Amino acid sequence: MARPNEEVEALLQEYADLVAITGGDAFKARAYEKAARAIGGHPGDVSKLDAKGLRDIPNVGKSIADKVVEYLSTGRVTAVEEARAAIPAGVRELITIPTLGPKKAMTLYEELHVSSVEGLLDAIHEERLRGLKGFGEKTEANILHGIALMQKAGSGRILLGAATDVAEQIVADLSGVKGCEGCAYAGSLRRMRETIGDIDVLVAADRSAPFMQAFAGLPYAAEIIAHGQKKTSLRTTKGLQVDLRVLPPASWGAGLLYFTGSKAHNIRIREIAVRQKLKLSEYGLFDVDSGVNIASGTEEEVYARLGLPWIAPTLREDRGEIAAGLRGELPELVAEDDIRGDLHTHTDLTDGVASLEDMVEAAARRGYAYYAVTDHAPDLYMQRMTDEKMLAQRERVRALDGKHRKMRLLHGTELNIGPDGGLDWPDDFLAGFDLCVASVHSHFHQTRAELTRRLVRACENPYVGIIGHPTTRRIGKRPGIDADFDAVFEACARTGTALEVNAHPERLDLCDEDILRAKRYGVKFAVNTDAHSTTHLPYMRYGVGTAQRGWLTKDDVINTWPLQRLRRFLRPGGHGS
Ligand code: DGT
Ligand code: CA
Ligand code: CA
Ligand code: ZN
């Protein structure tokens, strides 16, 4: 099939779904669906047709033909953009599950406040779909199947969060096998890249056979790709490839270093070895002349013999870490332990699925010193926020604050940055919050100048402390907006506005490279989960990993600071130092 036909089919189908979801005319939705199928099945390339030629295709009338022409000439359709903007992103995400129709997606959103694939998985596992009309066990199985399909269909790479879960399970399972002297995952996963091609697991043991056997016999092993003495590769039931290598315990450090990569980092350190008449391999560091192994037990020893300090895996991308290491100028990276609180979270007052009390309880269990509740504001009108509801929530937050001895509660909000950079409330209302996060949630396709001005204006509001998920990308699903981020970073530095490192594995926004760029402007950052359920609070680790990949230190990250310093930063006109 011609690519333009496929694109137009998908676009019309999406429009049909959007019309159906918004409770629009069922006839209209069906008409678009039929046209979508007709164009998808049309043998010729539709991009070669004019409006008249399009109308010769069965089920394509004038208004549909006009939209197709608009799309083919401009790459967008105003009516579709408008329909998109009117529906929460989460519901649109739900209907991308191939086995979930728009009606059921809307029911899930309205009845259970489910607005993401992640949230839907949680709801299924907590059996919250069981009480819904029209949702049997068969529906659940169908949905799960659809989600699995979707995750596999992606780029072939899988998200950091999903890969970490699988890898930790495997490491736990193999650590229990007799003779295991060490077990860890390496590769891009240890470096915490945002997507993972395959998982590389290492075991230190004298005999490899028992591990290869145990590995091949894991309940979630679907297919054995290669089975050998040194390496076994398999595909899990979810379609993920995992490589297992068993190393002699004496080579553990050299093997871990080698298989952690990145390849570019490995090449650099091998060059250093060569200059010192040494040879570096996955078995150790050897003297070229005598062949004697001079370091291999730990990564530290190998690095040390090369004249380097130990380099954190999140830095091993050949982005200057080796030169910095040689000069003794590696950054002291922010760590998960340094995080004192989460500054962007939701409750069931808007689109979260857990109550305020449950979220706060879960945050306290994480040992936080402070925690901000930042539900959506009125301009995301599907959330039906009002001044009264927000003020009533503030009362509840203030009352709860005394209940947790060690954790202070901040009452905040996540504002919506409107198309022109305006925010939901006037300044006097904003002044009542402890913290305002401001984020873009729609109108992603404005011009570069408009998008830039919009973000800069939000920074310039003295009550905005943090720009949430600054690029709005969804990994593998939606690219980030096309703003001039250098101008935005400059504005953040100038106005004392922090940039978020959103820790949700589908976002990781800002990404590592943007963080590196922003840091040069002297910007501060906030690593937040944007949790919509208690199960999202642990996503913090992925945000911290991303911050490390952006070379951030504790001082760069405002939510590692003591509360007093944080409050100074958040105060209108505050810059924090
Ligand atoms: P991925 O799986 O695409 O997300 O990325 P990685 O980095 O996990 O790559 P992978 O699984 O192909 O290999 C794991 C590590 O093994 C890699 O980071 C570095 C090391 N490695 C693999 N092939 C080579 C190679 O040809 N030369 C060098 N120097 N190292 C390699
Ligand atoms: Ca890998
Ligand atoms: Ca691999
Ligand atoms: Zn949020």
Side-chain angles (χ1 to χ4, degrees):
M1 201 204 296
R3 251 192 81 77
N5 296 31
E6 249 177 61
E7 286 176 18
V8 171
E9 178 183 9
L11 184 84
L12 295 179
Q13 180 60 52
E14 187 197 352
Y15 189 60
D17 291 344
L18 294 172
V19 170
I21 291 177
T22 43
D25 159 4
F27 173 78
K28 183 175 168 189
R30 261 200 313 279
Y32 275 90
E33 212 163 296
K34 278 191 204 159
R37 273 201 305 274
I39 287 177
H42 185 71
D45 182 343
V46 293
S47 67
K48 303 267 183 329
L49 301 177
D50 58 8
K52 186 170 170 307
L54 286 164
R55 283 166 68 180
D56 288 340
I57 300 174
N59 295 316
V60 178
K62 173 161 184 343
S63 105
I64 294 177
D66 288 347
K67 288 193 178 68
V68 175
V69 169
E70 186 188 350
Y71 176 73
L72 292 172
S73 58
T74 68
R76 46 182 295 195
V77 178
T78 311
V80 178
E81 303 282 347
E82 280 168 7
R84 280 182 185 150
I87 290 165
V91 176
R92 275 185 273 128
E93 185 180 320
L94 291 183
I95 61 176
T96 63
I97 301 171
T99 52
L100 184 68
K103 270 225 186 73
K104 286 206 158 63
M106 203 59 192
T107 307
L108 290 168
Y109 179 72
E110 282 175 348
E111 301 293 324
L112 303 177
H113 308 292
V114 169
S115 61
S116 69
V117 173
E118 199 70 41
L120 179 53
L121 279 172
D122 289 345
I124 291 174
H125 291 131
E126 290 159 16
E127 303 192 349
R128 283 189 281 128
L129 269 57
R130 295 291 164 88
L132 287 182
K133 199 163 163 263
F135 284 77
E137 261 170 67
K138 192 134 172 240
T139 322
E140 282 184 13
N142 261 334
I143 295 175
L144 287 174
H145 178 66
I147 294 175
L149 270 180
M150 199 173 68
Q151 288 174 340
K152 233 165 91 177
S155 53
R157 299 185 66 84
I158 105 154
L159 296 181
L160 174 63
T164 302
D165 290 345
V166 174
E168 287 186 339
Q169 182 65 49
I170 294 173
V171 167
D173 287 342
L174 294 179
S175 297
V177 175
K178 195 158 168 267
C180 181
E181 294 188 25
C183 182
Y185 55 78
S188 52
L189 185 59
R190 184 161 177 245
R191 304 196 312 277
M192 299 190 81
R193 269 192 70 176
E194 62 194 37
T195 62
I196 308 300
D198 68 13
I199 297 176
D200 301 281
V201 178
L202 304 178
V203 160
D206 291 320
R207 290 181 56 234
S208 77
F211 295 91
M212 298 307 185
Q213 223 167 355
F215 183 58
L218 291 173
Y220 37 88
E223 179 199 341
I224 308 299
I225 301 164
H227 193 74
Q229 224 194 338
K230 280 189 187 161
K231 174 178 158 187
T232 295
S233 298
L234 59 75
R235 200 174 302 285
T236 70
T237 44
K238 283 189 179 159
L240 228 111
Q241 188 183 320
V242 188
D243 295 344
L244 171 67
R245 295 178 178 86
V246 180
L247 312 168
S251 322
W252 176 251
L256 187 58
L257 181 56
Y258 182 87
F259 291 111
T260 296
S262 67
K263 197 170 160 180
H265 177 89
N266 287 357
I267 290 171
R268 286 262 179 243
I269 55 177
R270 232 169 18 221
E271 286 168 3
I272 295 180
V274 169
R275 269 185 255 135
Q276 301 177 20
K277 290 204 159 193
L278 302 172
K279 178 177 168 292
L280 180 62
S281 76
E282 65 264 51
Y283 295 106
L285 187 61
F286 299 88
D287 184 281
V288 171
D289 294 333
S290 65
V292 170
N293 177 346
I294 57 172
S296 62
T298 66
E299 286 188 336
E300 284 85 347
E301 290 168 40
V302 177
Y303 276 121
R305 291 305 297 256
L306 295 171
L308 284 163
W310 182 78
I311 298 177
T314 43
L315 293 182
R316 299 182 196 171
E317 297 291 349
D318 189 24
R319 289 177 180 155
E321 71 279 10
I322 291 165
L326 288 171
R327 290 195 309 267
E329 287 172 9
L330 282 172
E332 239 183 85
L333 296 177
V334 60
E336 200 183 358
D337 272 356
D338 297 329
I339 300 291
R340 294 192 201 221
D342 203 327
L343 300 178
H344 177 176
T345 71
H346 297 273
T347 75
D348 60 6
L349 183 64
T350 56
D351 57 352
V353 298
S355 67
L356 171 66
E357 289 74 12
D358 288 352
M359 292 300 286
V360 167
E361 180 65 43
R365 274 201 302 273
R366 292 180 60 79
Y368 286 150
Y370 46 80
Y371 179 77
V373 179
T374 57
D375 270 317
H376 291 290
D379 287 355
L380 272 192
Y381 66 90
M382 290 295 285
Q383 312 292 342
R384 303 178 200 294
M385 180 52 72
T386 62
D387 297 14
E388 294 69 35
K389 280 200 210 169
M390 204 37 125
L391 294 173
Q393 184 187 54
R394 185 171 303 158
E395 291 307 306
R396 287 170 64 204
V397 167
R398 299 293 182 236
L400 257 183
D401 194 17
K403 292 224 171 91
H404 294 276
R405 261 196 317 124
K406 293 185 179 155
M407 187 174 80
R408 296 286 57 78
L409 292 181
L410 303 178
H411 188 238
T413 183
E414 180 182 13
L415 301 165
N416 181 55
I417 306 175
D420 59 355
L423 302 168
D424 308 63
W425 278 299
D427 285 359
D428 62 342
F429 197 86
L430 297 183
F433 289 103
D434 298 319
L435 156 71
C436 296
V437 179
S439 325
V440 167
H441 295 105
S442 65
H443 301 83
F444 305 122
H445 299 292
Q446 290 178 308
T447 65
R448 190 174 163 87
E450 284 168 336
L451 287 164
T452 307
R453 202 171 329 118
R454 191 175 169 191
L455 284 164
V456 169
R457 256 196 83 192
C459 292
E460 285 171 346
N461 183 301
Y463 295 100
V464 170
I466 300 171
I467 300 294
H469 43 71
T471 78
T472 76
R473 73 161 180 172
R474 291 257 172 178
I475 300 172
K477 287 191 187 149
R478 181 171 79 207
I481 54 174
D482 177 32
D484 173 3
F485 276 97
D486 286 291
V488 176
F489 299 158
E490 191 278 322
C492 285
R494 171 168 53 82
T495 58
T497 309
L499 283 160
E500 183 168 81
V501 178
N502 190 293
H504 195 295
E506 271 186 20
R507 290 194 186 267
L508 299 178
D509 181 11
L510 295 177
C511 72
D512 50 6
E513 284 174 5
D514 288 341
I515 295 170
L516 276 165
R517 232 168 86 208
K519 182 175 160 146
R520 285 189 218 115
Y521 288 83
V523 180
K524 297 297 180 192
F525 300 83
V527 184
N528 296 328
T529 65
D530 198 358
H532 284 68
S533 95
T534 55
T535 57
H536 296 166
L537 292 173
Y539 288 163
M540 186 57 82
R541 62 192 292 199
Y542 306 122
V544 172
T546 303
Q548 291 184 345
R549 292 176 59 83
W551 291 51
L552 296 190
T553 64
K554 239 174 104 164
D555 190 59
D556 295 320
V557 178
I558 64 171
N559 53 323
T560 67
W561 298 352
L563 184 58
Q564 259 199 334
R565 183 178 174 199
L566 174 66
R567 281 193 189 278
R568 268 204 309 278
F569 178 86
L570 293 173
R571 218 162 34 210
H575 273 71
S577 51

